[in-house]
């Protein structure tokens, strides 16, 4: 991973255009090819980014301070450096991956085995469907054959909705899967998370752990 702290401006040209005026920012260049630009007030969410596969070209000559990142769709992220404050590279190696909470992992397994509880006619594509930014808990199809991505949490909060949003953005770029809609599933869903999920067109499902295990009524509550 390469970490660059620089005063820079950023321009995005693709399906839309966006401009970030000059300011000090952190630029992350990861081994998978992704490039993301961060401020100091956005938690983990980048100001702008380019997901892999993409290529980074550093300028030369009079344009040595210009980085151009291009993805397979021809979209461009142009970073103009005014002053580089830090530039370092670090070999992180292969990450062992996220170890899920035991309840979350079991919920995923149970729901995959009983996928029809999401609705009549649902069929499983696979668990842990891999994307460039990590695995989607469950990928399935509804009765109409449309693709559905399911993100499972023990407690559903805004971070989980943001995670599913990123997965949906990537999955909907695949013409073999698109259009893909999202289902945010948890044993408890916080009101703010529900509002955000609904605003983004996702369904929210409250999971009953005992019901999925067959101890109580086996119906999920869909809101």
């Amino acid at each position: 991973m390469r970490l660059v702290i620089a005063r820079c401006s950023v321009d995005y040209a693709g399906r839309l255009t966006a401009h970030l005026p000059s300011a000090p920012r952190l630029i992350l260049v990861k081994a998978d090819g992704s490039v993301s630009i961060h401020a100091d007030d956005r938690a983990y969410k980048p100001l702008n980014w380019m997901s892999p596969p993409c290529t980074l070209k550093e300028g030369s000559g009079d344009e040595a301070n210009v980085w151009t990142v291009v993805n397979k769709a021809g979209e461009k992220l142009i970073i103009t450096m005014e002053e580089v404050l830090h530039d370092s590279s670090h070999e992180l190696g292969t990450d062992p991956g996220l170890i899920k909470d035991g309840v979350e992992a079991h919920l995923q397994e149970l729901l995959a085995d009983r996928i029809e509880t999401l609705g009549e006619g649902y069929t499983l594509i696979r668990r842990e469907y891999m994307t460039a930014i990590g695995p989607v808990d469950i990928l399935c199809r509804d009765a109409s054959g449309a693709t559905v991505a399911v993100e499972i949490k023990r407690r559903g909060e805004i971070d989980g909705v943001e995670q599913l949003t990123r997965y949906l953005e990537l999955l909907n770029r695949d013409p073999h899967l698109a259009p893909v809609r999202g289902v945010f599933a948890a044993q408890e869903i916080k009101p703010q998370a529900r509002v955000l999920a609904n605003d983004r067109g996702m369904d929210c499902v409250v999971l009953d752990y005992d019901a999925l295990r067959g101890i109580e009524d086996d119906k999920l509550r869909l809101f």
Side-chain angles (χ1 to χ4, degrees):
M1 178 182 291
R2 185 177 178 186
L3 309 177
V4 178
I5 299 174
R7 179 173 291 278
C8 63
S9 60
V10 184
D11 291 279
Y12 170 80
R15 290 166 294 178
L16 48 82
T17 59
H19 174 72
L20 293 172
S22 175
R25 298 188 175 95
L26 168 65
I27 304 166
L28 297 183
V29 183
K30 295 187 178 181
D32 62 5
S34 64
V35 178
S36 57
I37 296 96
H38 298 259
D40 205 16
D41 62 350
R42 291 292 190 95
Y44 61 86
K45 188 173 183 179
L47 296 166
N48 214 326
W49 69 93
M50 192 70 79
S51 300
C54 58
T55 57
L56 167 61
K57 181 180 179 182
E58 298 184 42
S60 58
D62 292 340
E63 295 189 344
N65 64 325
V66 178
W67 290 11
T68 304
V69 188
V70 184
N71 67 11
K72 64 179 180 180
E75 299 167 318
K76 293 183 179 180
L77 195 64
I78 301 169
I79 306 169
T80 303
M81 309 284 192
E82 297 173 13
E83 181 184 8
V84 176
L85 306 172
H86 175 85
D87 189 345
S88 64
S89 296
H90 308 270
E91 185 63 48
L92 301 185
T94 302
D95 191 87
L98 176 68
I99 300 175
K100 281 186 167 289
D101 175 282
V103 174
E104 284 185 21
H106 199 203
L107 282 170
Q108 182 194 111
E109 180 182 354
L110 290 169
L111 187 56
D113 287 342
R114 304 178 67 182
I115 198 65
E116 70 284 353
T117 54
L118 283 176
E120 186 176 351
Y122 271 69
T123 56
L124 178 69
I125 296 177
R126 66 167 299 166
R127 291 171 53 194
E128 299 286 333
Y129 186 90
M130 186 56 65
T131 74
I133 58 173
V136 178
D137 286 333
I138 291 178
L139 198 69
C140 57
R141 296 193 186 279
D142 63 18
S144 69
T147 311
V148 180
V150 184
E151 180 62 26
I152 298 171
K153 300 292 183 185
R154 185 171 59 84
R155 176 179 295 176
E157 299 183 356
I158 286 177
D159 284 357
V161 178
E162 294 285 6
Q163 184 179 359
L164 181 54
T165 299
R166 295 192 295 273
Y167 287 145
L168 289 172
E169 181 183 356
L170 288 176
L171 292 169
N172 273 300
R173 295 180 186 178
D174 187 337
H176 299 293
L177 297 175
V180 185
R181 64 180 179 87
V183 170
F184 187 53
Q187 288 181 286
E188 173 192 359
I189 299 178
K190 296 295 184 180
Q192 299 92 333
R194 185 185 298 279
V195 169
L196 182 60
N198 290 339
D199 182 67
R200 295 183 178 179
M202 302 172 188
D203 290 329
C204 289
V205 174
V206 175
L207 299 174
D208 188 320
Y209 185 59
D210 287 335
L212 283 172
R213 294 167 62 202
I215 294 176
E216 297 177 358
D217 182 75
D218 64 356
K219 293 182 179 177
L220 294 177
R221 296 185 293 278
L222 178 61
F223 300 91

